[in-house]
Amino acid sequence: MAESFAQIEARQAEARLAFGRMLRLWRERNGWTQYTVADWGKESGFSAISYGNLSAIEQGKACELRRPAFFQLAEVNRRIAEEDWSRLKTQALKDKLNGATAIVDDDGTLWGPIELWSCYVGLRPVPTAFQPKPRPEAPPVALQEARALSQTWRELVSSAVDERDLDAFEAVQEIARQAPLPLRKQLRTVLTSFGDYEPEQLKELWDGEWLPERWIHAWLETLPPAAGAAEPAGGSPEAAKPRSRSSKGTGSRSKAKPTAASES
């Protein structure tokens, strides 16, 4: 029986999500931020995918990718495989690229634009090395610990907002865009101090790490360094580890307090 248009659309949407997860895992394993590839292209003089486009692909929001995107990704992959670091001058960038891993098939074949496109449209599976592992069971969290985690994430965002004099409402909205649509409303509620995550809700937000923490750090990676700071805000992911009994207060409400109308 032939597939319906709706079935084809659903299959392609799943393929795009899988492709995006592969790129995010590839980037994270190489220790890169979403800016690394764009910075590399700019310094070495080749056409590289922009950080905004890369972010959209990773989240499965890129819709129909244009042909240049696959050639841009393939060029990065080729340079990694051939250890082509020509025209690189910035030592920090050299350090980030040193030891980078290319995307290859299970038999070791380097992926070029054809393989990348085929994976994106669902004609080729993600290589085994880049397939997500089954989601681990979330650690048990008591009510007090859930509140402490919520407070920790609020403080992380509030600190970045204060250091950069950002608009807190816009900051919360940008962080929420990192999350799947069904999870955005509760994330905004937590980050604006109008509520805390419940233990039952947190069970669905564990993927080997807390997803709200991941979304916040993905947002932090897009920010310029704070004035007078040597490193981007957020620093190590250790900054947002659970602090079950040490957090106090309810977070700043003055910086981010959207009305109920903004929750859509």
Side-chain angles (χ1 to χ4, degrees):
M1 182 177 178
E3 282 187 299
S4 69
F5 180 76
Q7 289 173 320
I8 294 173
E9 285 285 289
R11 180 165 53 82
Q12 289 185 337
E14 181 57 36
R16 290 169 186 162
L17 287 172
F19 184 81
R21 287 193 295 265
M22 176 188 72
L23 289 190
R24 181 173 63 80
L25 185 56
W26 176 54
R27 177 175 62 79
E28 290 178 347
R29 284 183 179 176
N30 284 332
W32 299 348
T33 71
Q34 290 176 338
Y35 288 96
T36 302
V37 169
D39 290 345
W40 182 12
K42 183 177 180 180
E43 187 161 311
S44 291
F46 67 90
S47 177
I49 197 161
S50 70
Y51 74 88
N53 202 12
L54 180 58
S55 176
I57 297 169
E58 288 184 3
Q59 297 176 65
K61 300 177 182 178
C63 297
E64 292 295 335
L65 277 185
R66 295 184 178 181
R67 183 173 58 183
F70 301 106
F71 283 91
Q72 289 167 343
L73 290 168
E75 177 63 10
V76 170
N77 215 34
R78 180 197 68 78
R79 286 173 179 258
I80 292 172
E82 297 179 6
E83 298 185 354
D84 180 359
W85 318 127
S86 57
R87 299 179 64 180
L88 269 178
K89 297 178 181 179
T90 305
Q91 186 60 48
L93 191 52
K94 289 181 180 179
D95 293 341
K96 278 187 175 293
L97 297 174
N98 184 38
T101 300
I103 298 175
V104 299
D105 233 332
D106 290 352
D107 63 2
T109 302
L110 182 70
W111 273 28
I114 294 176
E115 290 80 9
L116 290 163
W117 174 82
S118 298
C119 181
Y120 182 73
V121 299
L123 297 177
R124 178 186 292 265
V126 170
T128 302
F130 292 98
Q131 291 179 2
K133 297 179 181 179
R135 192 172 71 176
E137 184 177 353
V141 177
L143 179 60
Q144 184 178 357
E145 293 169 323
R147 290 175 176 173
L149 278 168
S150 301
Q151 176 64 15
T152 295
W153 295 327
R154 281 194 290 269
E155 291 174 352
L156 184 60
V157 174
S158 179
S159 176
V161 166
D162 290 342
E163 288 172 357
R164 293 168 175 77
D165 194 26
L166 302 175
D167 182 288
F169 176 82
E170 290 297 328
V172 170
Q173 294 293 79
E174 287 295 326
I175 295 168
R177 292 187 187 104
Q178 306 290 329
L181 190 60
L183 303 178
R184 293 179 184 179
K185 182 176 180 179
Q186 184 60 35
L187 178 61
R188 288 193 295 260
T189 297
V190 170
L191 295 183
T192 52
S193 301
F194 284 103
D196 294 316
Y197 280 117
E198 299 292 333
E200 286 300 313
Q201 292 173 320
L202 288 175
K203 285 183 179 180
E204 303 301 318
L205 297 174
W206 178 261
D207 189 18
E209 62 178 324
W210 293 115
L211 293 179
E213 180 178 325
R214 177 188 293 172
W215 299 328
I216 292 169
H217 279 282
W219 168 71
L220 288 170
E221 287 181 355
T222 69
L223 301 180
E231 297 292 336
S236 166
E238 298 295 324
K241 291 294 183 183
R243 298 202 298 257
S244 59
R245 293 176 176 80
S246 61
S247 297
K248 297 181 181 180
T250 58
S252 171
R253 294 173 181 260
S254 61
K255 286 285 182 179
K257 197 170 184 179
T259 63
S262 70
E263 297 297 326
S264 60

